[in-house]
Amino acid sequence: MFRDGQIVDYPLELAHASGRVTPVLCNASVYRDDNGEVVGVFAAARDATDLVARQALADSERRYRLLAENTTDAVFLVDTTGSFTWVSPATRQVLGFEPKDLLGANGMSLIHPDDRRATAVRKARLVEGVDVPDLESRRLTADGSYLWMSLRGRAIIRGDGSLQGLIVGTRDIDAEVKARTALAHAIEHDPLTGLATLSVALARIDRLLGELVERGPGRAVGVLCVGVDGLMAVNEALTHAAGDRVLIAIATRIATVEDDPDLLARGSGDEFLVVLPDLVRAADAGVFAEQFRLAAHGAVTIGVSHLEPTVSIGIATGGRGANAEELLRDAALAMHRAKDDGRDRCEFFQASLAREAQYRVNVEGGIRDALAGGQFVPWFQPVVDLGDETVVGYEALVRWVRPDGSIVPPDEFVPIAERTSLITDLDLVVLWRSVEILARLPAPVYVAVNVSAATLASDGYAGQVIGTLTRYGVAPERLHLEFTETALLYVSHHVRSVMHQLAAIGVSWYVDDFGTGYSSISHLRDLPVAGLKLDLSFTAELGSADATCEHLAKALSGLAEGLGLDTVAEGIETPQQAAILRAQGWKHGQGWLYGHAQPDPTPPSPRSSRGAGIAMLCQSNIGGALTTVACRTGLLVRGCACDNPKAANPASPCSSG
């Protein structure tokens, strides 16, 4: 290698005595004799550590500058005063500024005012040599808007250890941040109304309760539970899409009263929540509640239907030490009480409501267990022809018979079952067992079975009825289905179809408790209704000094006769009531005068059908009191000591017992 001349600054690595490898630059010359033969080499080496380091730094700077000038991210060099000393060309595409226009400008001028504090903290930590995570902040653009960007900075240190400045790389993450924000908003807000979710509302209530400590004694936080009245009926009659439009309308209206969206939330189902953050007096919550109640009024038009929605509002307040979930529960309980008491009203929470709610929970659990254990059975009350008092059929009335023989009154469990899907299970159990018993009774005796609005609207009900009749071989004409007048408030296409389908095979539909609900008379014309049942509240007043109920009963009888409908009067307890109804044209009747509900209906006597319902009473071993009632009717009772009506002793019990 040295034969042809000298070697200058030839890079080599030499091993130090310590074992460390040191970069060097070598100069070497060849010495020759007179004949030109190489006789030796003179070589010198100098340490090139600093030189190599500077060269590497220069190469690195060239590479980084090349990268910075061609990357899509904006890169800045900032001196110790915070001013830009170099701006990458990509800044033009990212922020819209010309790089030369930013030279000398302070970097903080491009940071959103709300993000400057966090940026300054991270800058200070970078200067201290701490490796900090990327910072998300908003940067000003040439058009005056802000973009979310990810900032990553590194300190530039001179050879003497002093700070030369910072190199800051920024990446556009605006779309990413907005997507995250939209997702977080979706999680925390109801997609239908845009109001906060229940979990968000609970967190806010807890925070406000915690702040009461700073506001002095006597201050309270209020919660209003705003329930839309009758929304389930709208859903069933006009579809859930219509119900959603009602909810949106109510949400919009309550937002006009409370313009702070942080104090409004969507609860569950048909409920909204309003938070009252700082009440001087708990009673003030009632004033606010009334404003929301009135704001909810106003027509909502859905297709050809014009609805007038109302809300029932429950009010609960709590001071220091209160719990958000308990406040919400209390407001909801008060709201349900407002609904029960007539709707479109406001109600303050009372401790008794919580006790009632616990009772309902216990009963609901008991109903589930009783359904599984077969404890619900139909008892049968006779229905007679008011002309000759012969038994023509029975109404099946549900009874809860516990394993110990005790009986739970229907009014203690039916209203609770109606609040849940349990009412449908209950209705079907009574249907199955009633038809099973009906199969053992001679034709043409019928059984009337009650069906709730929820069951009538459920899928598959018509199939359940048809399947049950087929299984027990019972003619459809012997089954009457009774539904309350209130169930006709909203008649959906599905309900109409079920009624017509069953009527077509011979099942008769009767409107129960007629005269107490809100149905339109047009339903009697348009639906396959076979008869009306006069509510017992009218019957109870017959023969009293107030003749109003007597006039109404007569009018309803005339209405039914004009429409060609059968009639049944409920709650007949005295011969006088029976005589009045008979004179008014009511065709059939039922009540204690003809017999209480009993577990097993007795078929009419082959000798005479008069008093068959009373025969059931005598054979059921019900005791002297009810037997006395039976005897006083003067009806023929099979197997009874008072078999001859004329010879009957009203005070003597029947021999059968």
Side-chain angles (χ1 to χ4, degrees), residues 346-412:
C346 304
E347 185 82 28
F348 274 91
F349 169 76
Q350 299 175 2
S352 59
L353 296 178
R355 292 192 294 270
E356 291 176 11
Q358 185 60 54
Y359 171 77
R360 288 196 298 268
V361 170
N362 294 339
V363 173
E364 182 179 335
I367 293 174
R368 295 183 190 278
D369 294 340
L371 282 167
Q375 298 173 25
F376 289 106
V377 295
W379 282 22
F380 300 87
Q381 185 175 42
V383 180
V384 304
D385 185 315
L386 287 178
D388 59 10
E389 296 180 330
T390 57
V391 174
V392 295
Y394 298 90
E395 180 179 2
L397 303 171
V398 65
R399 293 293 185 267
W400 180 354
V401 183
R402 288 181 168 140
D404 62 2
S406 62
I407 299 174
V408 181
D411 58 359
E412 291 189 14

Side-chain angles (χ1 to χ4, degrees), residues 330-536:
D330 295 347
L333 288 172
M335 182 271 292
H336 287 298
R337 172 54 60 87
K339 285 180 178 286
D340 293 342
D341 288 350
R343 301 183 176 184
D344 193 19
R345 53 179 291 144
C346 304
E347 185 82 28
F348 274 91
F349 169 76
Q350 299 175 2
S352 59
L353 296 178
R355 292 192 294 270
E356 291 176 11
Q358 185 60 54
Y359 171 77
R360 288 196 298 268
V361 170
N362 294 339
V363 173
E364 182 179 335
I367 293 174
R368 295 183 190 278
D369 294 340
L371 282 167
Q375 298 173 25
F376 289 106
V377 295
W379 282 22
F380 300 87
Q381 185 175 42
V383 180
V384 304
D385 185 315
L386 287 178
D388 59 10
E389 296 180 330
T390 57
V391 174
V392 295
Y394 298 90
E395 180 179 2
L397 303 171
V398 65
R399 293 293 185 267
W400 180 354
V401 183
R402 288 181 168 140
D404 62 2
S406 62
I407 299 174
V408 181
D411 58 359
E412 291 189 14
F413 65 87
V414 171
I416 294 174
E418 287 178 336
R419 292 176 179 266
T420 68
S421 60
L422 294 174
I423 190 62
T424 297
D425 297 332
L426 205 56
D427 283 348
L428 292 178
V429 166
V430 174
L431 170 70
W432 299 331
R433 297 193 175 186
S434 297
V435 173
E436 178 186 9
I437 293 174
L438 177 59
R440 303 200 297 264
L441 297 175
V445 172
Y446 69 82
V447 166
V449 177
N450 292 281
V451 54
S452 66
T455 303
L456 188 56
S458 64
D459 293 333
Y461 179 68
Q464 289 280 0
V465 173
I466 296 171
T468 304
L469 291 171
T470 302
R471 176 181 179 183
Y472 294 106
V474 174
E477 293 78 6
R478 299 180 62 198
L479 176 64
H480 293 185
L481 294 176
E482 298 182 359
F483 55 94
T484 62
E485 185 182 1
T486 305
L488 293 178
L489 186 59
Y490 296 102
V491 178
S492 67
H493 174 75
H494 173 72
V495 169
R496 192 185 303 272
S497 174
V498 169
M499 294 182 68
H500 280 285
Q501 182 181 354
L502 293 178
I505 66 171
V507 175
S508 297
W509 290 96
Y510 279 66
V511 182
D512 199 9
D513 300 336
F514 193 76
T516 62
Y518 308 96
S519 69
S520 169
I521 294 178
S522 64
H523 287 132
L524 303 180
R525 176 197 64 196
D526 301 334
L527 296 174
V529 175
L532 306 179
K533 299 192 72 174
L534 181 68
D535 185 69
L536 55 83

Side-chain angles (χ1 to χ4, degrees), residues 254-329:
I254 64 176
T256 62
V257 179
E258 176 53 73
D259 56 3
D260 185 351
D262 287 344
L263 300 179
L264 302 176
R266 171 85 184 275
S268 57
D270 61 356
E271 299 172 8
F272 297 98
L273 303 176
V274 181
V275 183
L276 307 176
D278 189 16
L279 296 172
V280 178
R281 298 175 303 171
D284 292 341
V287 178
F288 291 114
E290 185 65 11
Q291 293 175 358
F292 286 105
R293 185 187 70 83
L294 294 175
H297 288 180
V300 176
T301 301
I302 301 174
V304 297
S305 301
H306 300 281
L307 307 179
E308 291 285 345
T310 60
V311 296
S312 298
I313 302 179
I315 308 167
T317 61
R320 285 184 289 181
N323 176 276
E325 292 188 355
E326 292 178 355
L327 270 183
L328 184 58
R329 177 206 63 187

